Amino acid sequence: MQNENIIKGQGAQRNVINRFDRYTFEPEDEDFETVKTTFTEVFPKTIVNQVKSEDLPMEYSMNPYQGCEHGCSYCFARPTHEYWGYSAGIDFERKIMVKKNAPELLEKFFQKRGYKPAPILLSGNTDCYQPAERQFEITRKLLQVCLDYRHPVNVLTKNALVLRDLDILKLMAEQNLVSVSLSIPTINEELRRKMEPRTSSANNKLKAVEVLSQNKIPVHVMVAPIIPGLNSDEPLTILKAISEAGAQSFGYTLVRLNDTVEPVFVKWIESSFPDRAQKVLNLIRSMRGGKLGEKRYFDRQKGEGNIAEMIHNTFKIGRKKFFEGKEFPKVSTANFTGSKDQQLRLFD
């Protein structure tokens, strides 16, 4: 059963209070169903971020957009919108900041004297192939810069729009410069439409895995997040499907609802699944020491308790059954010179 008053096509059902605002005001009669997406051009001084989290494997990330239209209520990036003076609720989905100078910034970064190349994660915070990318094509331009400089990049997305850039990705793959990670938390299309309302369909994501693999582009799949009581019965089904489609590896995360993600998710689960909302929330608490969130490094990845252990064991079974013998290749930094001119390598 679903609440008839839910705003369809959105994860957030209203704005939530910004932690950093002393005063807040929100008209009671605001019609959030009619809120249109707006795009604001911003011009940051840098585009590449150094990742300092101890339990994350990447050294650098870059995000061409701030905010994300995909509408996932559980998105860990929601609180970052508050630093810009917005809400982690509907504002995060409808007020999108576009970093139009990102390609120029990336090129300057590659030209820095003494820079030692390391793979960059394209996304890491908000999705680089969210709907705005159809209009602005910043991700495509960033990939072209990476190809020009022969710099490795790992792409993470929920959107089959990645196939639009197959021409660039194929050229990068020939030099071992790229991998693609697709986020597929469910292949139940009815659930997908509620969990991530403006992403690609489950079938289109699986098709993207297949097409990328057929074109010799390494594909990893993130089965994330696992939400007990919603998609926690799907791991083996998903792993079988993505393995058959050609994925070479997978990862997964357990849902955690930190800071202002919590009120957004709680409102969403109560509206979307009123008959089991409290059960889902209690199951999450059982994995998080009685809370809904967890910030401690490493602990936030593994959770605790019987439910978390059951999920981990299920993925162990799936890895052995569907991915044994598969190995995911590492992208290469060997041909990066800090210049578009390949010949400069002769004078190293």
Side-chain angles (χ1 to χ4, degrees):
M1 181 183 296
Q2 178 173 301
N3 189 330
E4 293 181 359
N5 295 322
I6 190 172
I7 303 174
K8 295 181 179 180
Q10 290 185 183
Q13 294 301 296
R14 63 186 305 109
N15 275 327
V16 293
I17 295 174
N18 186 321
R19 295 169 294 160
F20 306 109
D21 283 352
R22 185 175 179 183
Y23 302 106
T24 60
F25 172 74
E26 185 175 289
E28 286 295 325
D29 59 351
E30 185 166 354
D31 185 359
F32 287 109
E33 290 194 80
T34 64
V35 174
K36 304 296 183 182
T37 302
T38 61
F39 303 102
T40 302
E41 293 183 17
V42 294
F43 298 89
K45 294 181 179 179
T46 59
I47 188 61
V48 179
N49 313 299
Q50 188 170 12
V51 178
K52 298 180 180 179
S53 298
E54 299 172 14
D55 56 353
L56 296 178
M58 74 287 297
E59 188 171 344
Y60 296 107
S61 69
M62 59 181 172
N63 299 278
Y65 305 99
Q66 177 63 41
C68 183
E69 290 182 86
H70 278 157
C72 309
S73 64
Y74 47 78
C75 180
F76 66 86
R78 284 183 178 274
T80 64
H81 226 46
E82 296 174 305
Y83 293 104
W84 298 79
Y86 294 121
S87 169
I90 289 177
D91 282 355
F92 179 78
E93 302 176 35
R94 296 302 189 185
K95 297 183 184 296
I96 310 299
M97 281 161 282
V98 181
K99 304 175 185 178
K100 294 198 75 172
N101 62 335
E104 292 78 17
L105 291 173
L106 181 60
E107 191 161 7
K108 289 180 181 178
F109 181 80
F110 287 162
Q111 293 171 351
K112 282 185 177 179
R113 185 178 297 274
Y115 168 62
K116 295 182 179 179
I120 297 176
L121 177 64
L122 183 47
S123 284
N125 192 30
T126 56
D127 202 307
C128 62
Y129 278 107
Q130 62 176 281
E133 172 62 15
R134 294 185 184 277
Q135 176 179 346
F136 296 103
E137 298 191 352
I138 299 174
T139 296
R140 180 176 177 84
K141 293 171 185 174
L142 290 171
L143 288 175
Q144 185 63 57
V145 173
C146 289
L147 175 60
D148 291 344
Y149 280 80
R150 302 166 304 283
H151 192 285
V153 63
N154 298 308
V155 178
L156 173 60
T157 183
K158 289 174 172 281
N159 205 313
L161 179 59
V162 65
L163 293 181
R164 180 202 63 188
D165 297 333
L166 195 60
D167 55 336
I168 298 177
L169 295 172
K170 287 168 64 175
L171 293 174
M172 295 186 75
E174 289 173 2
Q175 301 181 60
N176 197 20
L177 294 174
V178 70
S179 71
V180 174
S181 293
L182 274 160
S183 175
I184 306 179
T186 178
I187 55 176
N188 177 331
E189 183 57 19
E190 183 179 354
L191 178 58
R192 196 279 312 165
R193 285 196 295 266
K194 294 179 181 179
M195 281 183 65
E196 37 178 36
R198 290 188 296 280
T199 63
S200 299
S201 69
N203 283 340
N204 283 344
K205 290 184 187 182
L206 289 174
K207 183 64 177 179
V209 173
E210 183 178 354
V211 172
L212 290 165
S213 300
Q214 288 173 346
N215 283 276
K216 300 181 179 179
I217 297 161
V219 181
H220 175 86
V221 170
M222 283 299 298
V223 187
I226 296 298
I227 303 174
L230 278 189
N231 65 339
S232 52
D233 61 337
E234 288 193 72
L236 293 180
T237 305
I238 294 173
L239 296 185
K240 181 177 187 293
I242 63 175
S243 178
E244 291 175 350
Q248 292 169 273
S249 67
F250 71 89
Y252 67 98
T253 62
L254 306 180
V255 67
R256 59 187 181 93
L257 308 172
N258 291 339
D259 301 319
T260 37
V261 180
E262 180 178 327
V264 172
F265 181 88
V266 170
K267 180 67 175 176
W268 172 80
I269 193 74
E270 290 176 345
S271 300
S272 300
F273 300 96
D275 55 333
R276 53 175 144 162
Q278 291 309 310
K279 177 184 177 181
V280 170
L281 293 172
N282 287 333
L283 287 171
I284 295 173
R285 290 187 183 101
S286 77
M287 302 192 303
R288 299 297 181 190
K291 299 179 293 185
L292 292 175
E294 175 60 80
K295 293 185 178 181
R296 292 174 296 175
Y297 291 131
F298 301 103
D299 289 330
R300 62 181 182 171
Q301 306 286 10
K302 59 187 180 182
E304 61 181 65
N306 293 335
I307 299 299
E309 184 178 1
M310 178 190 70
I311 292 170
H312 294 317
N313 288 337
T314 300
F315 277 103
K316 287 179 183 177
I317 293 170
R319 190 178 302 277
K320 182 172 179 60
K321 187 170 184 179
F322 302 115
F323 283 84
E324 191 168 28
K326 290 194 175 189
E327 187 174 349
F328 196 71
K330 292 184 177 180
V331 289
S332 173
T333 61
N335 293 319
F336 177 82
T337 64
S339 168
K340 294 182 180 180
D341 188 352
Q342 181 75 35
Q343 296 303 313
L344 289 183
R345 189 169 181 83
L346 300 174
F347 301 97
D348 285 355

